[in-house]
Amino acid sequence: MAARFINVFVLVLMVRQWTVLVSAEECPYYMDILPCVCTQDKETLEVDLNCSRVVDIEQLKQIFEAEFPSINFRELTMDGTAEDPVPLDYLPDGVFGPVTFRKVNIRYTNVQDIGDNVLLHLNSTLEELRLNDNELLSFPTADLPHFPKLLFLDISSNNLTFIADLHSLTLNSLNLGQNPGLFFTTEAFVNVPNLVDLDIGNCSLKSLQPNLFTEQWFLATLNLQLNHITELDASSLNFPNNSLNEIILSGTSGELYLVMMENQLQELRQEVWQPVFQAMADDGGRGFVVLDGNPLVCGCSIGWLVASEHLLKHLAKGAKCNNGTSIFSLDPDYYTSNCY
């Protein structure tokens, strides 16, 4: 019995030593990849690569020409700061060699352009791509269909002025915000039907094209803040269902008119609509939400609006309940007493 215990103990020890040995060999020899640093998660044994201190593109190329015992990494990071960006202005095709990553974070660099195929070798692994706070003038959206695992894309805070129509069946979070002057077509989001979060805030938008969101069945958060939107008609915010949890409109300039006449809106859910009305109240009391012709259910779900005089005055007078009763004839005291 004792001999068997000793044999088992020795076997476990050998396995642990073998695991440590294999783990240690996942990273390249550290001198070969300086100033990049390879680290390993002690629990998952996954490896990450941080190349935030590279000084030029030739150095980056040389690093990825080194011998990599494993080419399957979890995460690549190249992060500078606003005061001290990573001094790269272009990422050419092939710069990362055969090394793959599930997550790529390239932020606060001087990168203005990336090769059309620079990330294409990650087509079977890439899940999250962060290219925010760079100097990008364009982004190869045509490549998106080649990334069947991509869930998260952030290309905010760049110098993008045009985004071609996107195509991705997996993408659920897209951030295009803080690209002043950004333009996209009516079809921009038609072929990304699984979006949950969309940020197009601070893009100098003056209006939204009709039917821009008609294929967004799962959209929960839409950020439109800090634009120059003064009028939104019904088809601009025509959503196919009631999945939306948040519309962010704060910081828009001028008088905001949100016109959604003759739709099928039934509920004014407080978590969605109160920030919209509040944004108008905070903007010097200007702006209106026009909901004429919608079959609104006037139960407790609308009580927050009826009982808030300073918000209700931003609802256009034609809004009625589905039984024909004017919203403005409802008794606020009834809702205060019975719904709260």
Side-chain angles (χ1 to χ4, degrees):
M1 182 71 178
R4 179 178 299 177
F5 175 79
I6 291 173
N7 288 337
V8 170
F9 176 78
V10 171
L11 179 60
V12 170
L13 184 61
M14 290 175 63
V15 168
R16 286 183 176 177
Q17 289 176 335
W18 179 82
T19 301
V20 171
L21 180 62
V22 170
S23 300
E25 291 179 350
E26 294 295 311
C27 283
Y29 178 53
Y30 79 100
M31 289 293 290
D32 290 345
I33 60 170
L34 287 176
C36 295
V37 177
C38 179
T39 57
Q40 186 168 42
D41 189 307
K42 293 181 179 179
E43 295 183 359
T44 66
L45 303 182
E46 294 178 299
V47 283
D48 301 326
L49 193 63
N50 190 314
C51 292
S52 298
R53 295 188 177 276
V54 294
V55 297
D56 56 42
I57 195 63
E58 293 305 319
Q59 184 182 56
L60 189 63
K61 287 180 180 178
Q62 186 175 5
I63 288 166
F64 283 96
E65 290 171 357
E67 182 178 349
F68 280 72
S70 171
I71 62 170
N72 301 310
F73 279 63
R74 176 176 60 183
E75 190 165 5
L76 169 67
T77 298
M78 287 197 292
D79 274 358
T81 65
E83 297 74 23
D84 186 21
V86 179
L88 301 177
D89 54 18
Y90 177 59
L91 293 177
D93 292 341
V95 67
F96 299 119
V99 183
T100 66
F101 305 93
R102 298 209 315 270
K103 302 178 182 180
V104 172
N105 310 304
I106 300 174
R107 299 170 292 203
Y108 289 105
T109 76
N110 293 326
V111 171
Q112 298 184 10
D113 194 16
I114 61 176
D116 288 342
N117 300 314
V118 68
L119 299 173
L120 205 53
H121 71 292
L122 307 181
N123 65 320
S124 63
T125 61
L126 190 62
E127 298 172 3
E128 299 180 12
L129 177 58
R130 293 174 174 83
L131 294 173
N132 53 292
D133 293 283
N134 296 295
E135 303 292 336
L136 285 175
L137 299 171
S138 63
F139 179 79
T141 55
D143 287 346
L144 289 181
H146 300 297
F147 295 89
K149 294 184 178 180
L150 186 63
L151 300 172
F152 183 100
L153 176 61
D154 185 348
I155 47 178
S156 63
S157 299
N158 280 284
N159 295 317
L160 302 172
T161 56
F162 176 71
I163 283 291
D165 299 347
L166 296 98
H167 294 73
S168 173
L169 296 178
T170 56
L171 197 64
N172 59 43
S173 182
L174 174 63
N175 191 344
L176 302 174
Q178 301 185 66
N179 282 291
L182 184 67
F183 175 78
F184 42 79
T185 76
T186 305
E187 304 292 313
F189 310 120
V190 168
N191 293 300
V192 278
N194 291 303
L195 281 179
V196 176
D197 302 304
L198 175 60
D199 189 334
I200 47 177
N202 199 8
C203 289
S204 306
L205 301 178
K206 296 180 179 179
S207 63
L208 294 178
Q209 298 95 322
N211 300 311
L212 193 59
F213 307 113
T214 52
E215 298 301 320
Q216 303 310 311
W217 289 89
F218 305 102
L219 194 64
T221 301
L222 172 63
N223 187 351
L224 294 169
Q225 67 179 340
L226 298 173
N227 282 299
H228 305 306
I229 297 171
T230 59
E231 184 172 355
L232 294 173
D233 64 29
S235 58
S236 294
L237 290 179
N238 184 13
F239 302 101
N241 63 12
N242 288 317
S243 66
L244 201 66
N245 292 321
E246 187 174 21
I247 303 174
I248 306 172
L249 284 167
S250 61
T252 53
S253 63
E255 294 187 12
L256 175 62
Y257 292 91
L258 177 53
V259 183
M260 296 187 67
M261 297 173 62
E262 304 298 334
N263 273 276
Q264 295 300 313
L265 189 64
Q266 296 181 0
E267 288 190 273
L268 295 182
R269 294 164 52 194
Q270 184 173 3
E271 64 270 25
V272 176
W273 286 96
Q274 185 170 1
V276 176
F277 281 87
Q278 190 63 54
M280 294 178 178
D282 292 343
D283 188 28
R286 298 177 296 175
F288 286 95
V289 177
V290 184
L291 298 176
D292 303 29
N294 284 275
L296 297 172
V297 176
C298 292
C300 285
S301 64
I302 203 173
W304 64 270
L305 180 59
V306 176
S308 301
E309 184 179 356
H310 74 292
L311 299 181
L312 186 61
K313 69 180 182 180
H314 295 286
L315 179 66
K317 297 296 183 181
K320 295 181 180 180
C321 306
N322 56 6
N323 63 3
T325 302
S326 170
I327 302 295
F328 295 89
S329 67
L330 299 176
D331 182 4
D333 293 334
Y334 170 84
Y335 287 94
T336 301
S337 300
N338 293 280
C339 295
Y340 301 99

